[in-house]
Amino acid sequence: DWTKALQLVSSMAEGNVASNTITFNAAIIACERAGEWEKVLHFFSTMEDTNVPSDTTTFNSAINACEKCCEQEKVLQLAHAMGESLLTALHSVPGRRAIHQ
């Protein structure tokens, strides 16, 4: 459940064990399933603050959690951030071809 996920991430930080995308996603998914959208956003923000990369699972779970709780403004903000993240990833691919508009 989401409280165990919160405890896991907290205990990892206290024990100087680095959290990664997988551990944060597990916590985010648990909170999403419980309808704890504010906790989802907390984990999402913590990932950004600690430079842990987010992935499609991170974004999809966060968007779903906010959508279920009718937090449409947050859904739009996350969708925008997901687009920016994708563009950043595309620009970092070695040997990529330029995208012309």
Side-chain angles (χ1 to χ4, degrees):
D1 75 355
W2 72 271
T3 57
K4 289 180 184 175
L6 180 63
Q7 290 172 349
L8 173 65
V9 174
S10 296
S11 65
M12 289 178 74
E14 290 170 7
N16 290 325
V17 177
S19 295
N20 59 25
T21 304
I22 294 169
T23 55
F24 274 107
N25 281 350
I28 287 171
I29 290 167
C31 292
E32 177 220 340
R33 289 180 179 162
E36 296 287 333
W37 67 272
E38 291 172 318
K39 296 288 185 198
V40 169
L41 295 180
H42 167 75
F43 284 123
F44 188 86
S45 178
T46 302
M47 288 178 76
E48 289 181 332
D49 293 345
T50 56
N51 295 318
V52 174
S54 52
D55 62 11
T56 55
T57 300
T58 312
F59 281 106
N60 287 336
S61 295
I63 288 170
N64 287 338
C66 292
E67 187 175 51
K68 288 176 189 174
C69 296
C70 300
E71 292 294 326
Q72 299 307 317
E73 185 176 327
K74 298 292 184 192
V75 169
L76 293 174
Q77 290 171 352
L78 288 164
H80 179 75
M82 185 176 186
E84 286 182 352
S85 177
L86 178 60
L87 287 175
T88 300
L90 286 173
H91 287 294
S92 67
V93 174
R96 70 165 181 83
R97 300 178 93 186
I99 300 172
H100 298 285
Q101 296 181 343

